């Protein structure tokens, strides 16, 4: 049934693309795809009729649904028939509101995925965020992941634009593998769009340290333009903003206009989002998913975030999944990183995450400052008792570990969880 559904969706979405000819911005990478999609959308949507992926619809079923403009029919044949009807209607009757630009996140769980998606929706602009060891059990090596992801660049025509992370050693060389115009972004001096003077925006309010976003400047062609990203921390979002601005430049939007648009940037739920916690604590919710590259990036922010006087920094890390033979090594590298940081307490969740705890301990992280739990619920109850006013808590783990349950347990306004935290719909809550 999945094959039949995939075939029908592919056919209908091709017909729609052939009718309306929207320009496609394709985004891929091991991390940062969704944040980059949102940043690109917010930059372009002020001037163009733009649609981006619905939810995380970035595969052979989700991408066509975004092209059609419908959510999944799930297990309901009736809803799927309605989706097919909607697609057929837009094919035979002109939809005057159909987008001029589609921003399509393109994921790759296995070899051949990016080729399939770019054959369906050839890109005018291709963005590559960063490459790391995700889905290694299906690709075997990180270089094979890079070979798959670079198709989003190599398939571009001469009049296209490739937007590449110039800091990533596997992404930067892709500039020589495309006929398209190339724009690079990052933090190093050689990129076209460089982030400078990055800092976390914090202030004291009634004796409590409040964190409300990040400030940085974009250096492009000798011009420096300030940017504020609300409600988030972490270089991940700076990279996303840079890529979004690069896409804006490709469509004639200048730096000042792009910077102004980024003030409206709303990060996807549970991607380095800042939330108020119980007992006047601060949560950094990064529980949507996890990978070695993403964990190390999340940890980097801890030295830059100040806590209230007397406050402590907690790191709560769950298993990283789908790493195959790289599992133990990857978790140990994370543990070693934790030991290097100014962290007061480490909490791990899951069997694989025990390697994080052991590696941290091997690097002289105090054993009495480590707590290990089998599941997120146990860890959440422990943290409820353990944290106190002024503490900072970073929470991250792979989807299957359900670390978002800890966030809901600790957030000051749990009634807002459906709006602010990932996996809060009824189907997930039953799992």
């Amino acid at each position: 049934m999945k094959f039949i559904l995939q075939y029908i969706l592919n056919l209908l979405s091709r017909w729609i693309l052939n009718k309306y000819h929207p320009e496609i911005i394709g985004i891929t990478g091991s991390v940062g795809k969704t944040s980059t999609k949102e940043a690109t959308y917010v930059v372009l949507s002020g001037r163009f009729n733009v649609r981006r992926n619905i939810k995380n619809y970035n595969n052979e079923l989700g991408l066509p649904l975004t092209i059609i403009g419908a959510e999944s029919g799930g297990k309901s044949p009736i809803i799927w028939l309605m989706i097919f009807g909607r697609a057929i209607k837009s094919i035979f009757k002109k939809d005057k509101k159909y987008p001029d630009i589609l921003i399509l996140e393109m994921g790759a769980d296995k070899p051949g995925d990016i080729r399939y998606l770019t054959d369906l929706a050839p890109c005018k602009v291709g963005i590559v965020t960063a490459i790391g060891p995700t889905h290694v059990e299906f690709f075997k090596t990180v270089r094979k992941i890079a070979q798959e992801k670079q198709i989003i660049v190599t398939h571009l025509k001469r009049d296209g634009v490739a937007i590449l992370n110039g800091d990533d050693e596997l992404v930067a060389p892709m500039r020589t593998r495309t006929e398209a115009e190339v724009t690079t972004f990052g933090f190093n001096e050689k990129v076209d769009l460089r982030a400078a003077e990055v800092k976390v925006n914090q202030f004291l309010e009634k004796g409590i340290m409040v964190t409300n976003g990040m400030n940085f400047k974009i250096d492009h062609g000798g011009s420096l333009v300030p940017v504020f990203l609300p409600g988030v921390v972490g270089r991940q979002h700076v990279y996303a903003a840079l890529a979004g601005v690069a896409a804006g430049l490709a469509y004639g939007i200048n730096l000042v206009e792009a910077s102004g648009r980024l003030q409206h940037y709303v990060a996807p739920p549970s991607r380095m989002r800042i939330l108020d916690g119980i007992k006047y604590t601060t949560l950094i919710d990064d529980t949507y998913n996890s990978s070695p590259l993403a964990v190390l990036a999340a940890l980097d922010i801890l030295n830059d975030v100040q806590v209230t006087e007397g406050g402590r920094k907690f790191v709560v890390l769950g298993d990283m999944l789908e790493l195959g033979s790289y599992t133990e090594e990857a978790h140990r590298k994370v543990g070693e990183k934790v030991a290097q940081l100014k962290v007061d307490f480490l909490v791990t969740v899951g069997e694989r995450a025990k390697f994080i705890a052991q590696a941290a301990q091997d690097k002289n992280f105090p054993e009495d400052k480590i707590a290990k739990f089998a599941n997120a619920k146990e860890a959440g109850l422990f943290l409820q008792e353990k944290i106190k006013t002024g503490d900072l808590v970073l929470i991250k783990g792979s989807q299957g570990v359900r670390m978002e349950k800890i966030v809901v347990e600790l957030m000051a306004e749990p009634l807002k969880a459906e709006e602010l935290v990932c996996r809060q719909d009824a189907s997930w809550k039953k799992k």
Side-chain angles (χ1 to χ4, degrees):
M1 283 299 296
K2 181 181 177 181
F3 176 78
I4 296 171
L5 188 60
Q6 181 179 325
Y7 177 80
I8 295 171
L9 289 173
N10 185 299
L11 191 63
L12 292 172
S13 56
R14 282 180 187 274
W15 285 344
I16 289 173
L17 293 177
N18 287 335
K19 181 178 178 69
Y20 295 98
H21 302 289
E23 293 194 348
I24 308 293
I25 299 176
I27 302 170
T28 196
S30 301
V31 294
K33 294 187 294 296
T34 305
S35 298
T36 300
K37 173 189 71 178
E38 293 300 325
T40 303
Y41 175 79
V42 80
V43 169
L44 293 176
S45 61
R47 195 185 289 191
F48 299 96
N49 180 9
V50 187
R51 176 188 295 166
R52 81 275 211 202
N53 287 79
I54 301 165
K55 299 181 179 178
N56 63 335
Y57 288 8
N58 63 8
N59 60 15
E60 64 274 9
L61 297 181
L63 200 88
L65 284 170
T66 299
I67 293 168
I68 293 168
E71 294 197 22
S72 171
K75 297 181 180 180
S76 171
I78 294 174
I79 295 177
W80 280 114
L81 288 172
M82 291 172 65
I83 292 169
F84 299 157
R86 177 175 180 170
I88 291 168
K89 181 180 178 180
S90 66
I91 291 166
F92 289 100
K93 184 178 180 181
K94 183 75 172 179
D95 180 358
K96 295 181 180 179
K97 295 182 179 180
Y98 197 83
D100 301 313
I101 301 171
L102 294 175
I103 303 170
L104 302 179
E105 182 182 330
M106 297 183 175
D109 294 337
K110 60 187 183 302
D113 282 350
I114 299 297
R115 175 70 67 192
Y116 179 90
L117 297 175
T118 54
D119 283 348
L120 168 61
C123 303
K124 175 76 170 183
V125 177
I127 302 175
V128 186
T129 57
I131 304 295
T134 54
H135 308 298
V136 175
E137 62 183 282
F138 304 108
F139 284 96
K140 305 305 179 187
T141 70
V142 177
R143 291 205 172 273
K144 287 185 178 179
I145 296 172
Q147 289 170 7
E148 177 70 24
K149 302 286 187 180
Q150 76 177 10
I151 293 170
I152 207 167
V153 170
T154 58
H155 91 288
L156 294 173
K157 294 182 179 179
R158 193 179 294 274
D159 63 347
V161 179
I163 298 174
L164 305 175
N165 182 341
D167 292 341
D168 191 291
E169 62 180 13
L170 291 173
V171 177
M174 294 180 189
R175 67 180 304 149
T176 64
R177 300 164 195 164
T178 180
E179 295 182 345
E181 177 186 340
V182 176
T183 300
T184 56
F185 63 91
F187 288 77
N188 76 77
E189 296 286 344
K190 296 180 180 180
V191 297
D192 300 309
L193 275 84
R194 184 175 72 89
E197 301 178 34
V198 180
K199 64 178 182 178
V200 178
N201 196 37
Q202 295 185 281
F203 56 91
L204 280 172
E205 186 175 89
K206 297 180 181 179
I208 301 293
M209 185 65 71
V210 176
T211 306
N212 72 340
M214 296 194 74
N215 293 306
F216 68 100
K217 292 180 179 178
I218 296 178
D219 183 350
H220 176 62
S223 299
L224 276 176
V225 178
V227 177
F228 173 64
L229 297 179
V232 297
V233 290
R235 283 192 167 199
Q236 307 90 306
H237 292 291
V238 177
Y239 278 118
L242 290 171
V245 171
L249 291 174
Y251 281 92
I253 296 173
N254 64 43
L255 284 180
V256 174
E257 183 180 347
S259 170
R261 292 295 305 164
L262 285 170
Q263 294 181 42
H264 305 287
Y265 172 69
V266 178
S270 301
R271 271 92 158 187
M272 295 297 285
R273 291 273 290 262
I274 304 161
L275 301 177
D276 292 330
I278 59 173
K279 304 179 184 178
Y280 297 100
T281 58
T282 299
L283 310 180
I284 301 177
D285 174 18
D286 199 26
T287 58
Y288 176 75
N289 214 341
S290 191
S291 68
L293 199 63
V295 175
L296 295 175
L299 291 171
D300 275 336
I301 197 63
L302 290 175
N303 283 342
D304 299 328
V305 182
Q306 299 180 51
V307 294
T308 306
E309 186 175 352
R312 301 165 296 171
K313 294 181 180 180
F314 284 72
V315 175
V316 187
L317 301 174
D319 289 347
M320 296 181 289
L321 306 178
E322 297 183 356
L323 295 178
S325 61
Y326 189 59
T327 295
E328 182 174 346
E329 179 185 348
H331 285 83
R332 285 189 175 278
K333 282 185 178 179
V334 170
E336 291 168 4
K337 176 81 170 183
V338 171
Q340 296 169 8
L341 300 169
K342 296 175 183 178
V343 171
D344 298 290
F345 210 98
L346 170 64
V347 176
T348 65
V349 180
E351 285 299 312
R352 299 166 185 81
K354 288 180 181 178
F355 291 124
I356 297 175
Q358 186 58 56
Q361 194 175 327
D362 291 344
K363 293 293 183 178
N364 300 316
F365 194 91
E367 185 179 3
D368 63 346
K369 301 297 183 182
I370 300 174
K372 294 171 279 190
F373 297 93
N375 58 64
K377 183 176 181 180
E378 293 175 3
L381 293 173
F382 168 80
L383 287 161
Q384 271 192 332
E385 297 296 322
K386 188 73 176 176
I387 61 175
K388 62 181 183 182
T389 298
D391 287 346
L392 174 73
V393 188
L394 168 65
I395 310 163
K396 186 167 184 61
S398 278
Q399 188 178 95
V401 195
R402 304 299 305 283
M403 298 292 281
E404 77 278 0
K405 292 181 178 181
I406 299 175
V407 176
V408 177
E409 202 74 47
L410 299 182
M411 64 191 297
E413 299 180 271
L415 292 178
K416 291 186 177 180
E418 190 170 330
E419 171 191 350
L420 300 174
V421 183
C422 64
R423 293 185 285 277
Q424 295 304 299
D425 55 77
S427 62
W428 273 105
K429 287 183 177 181
K430 292 176 183 178
K431 296 181 182 179

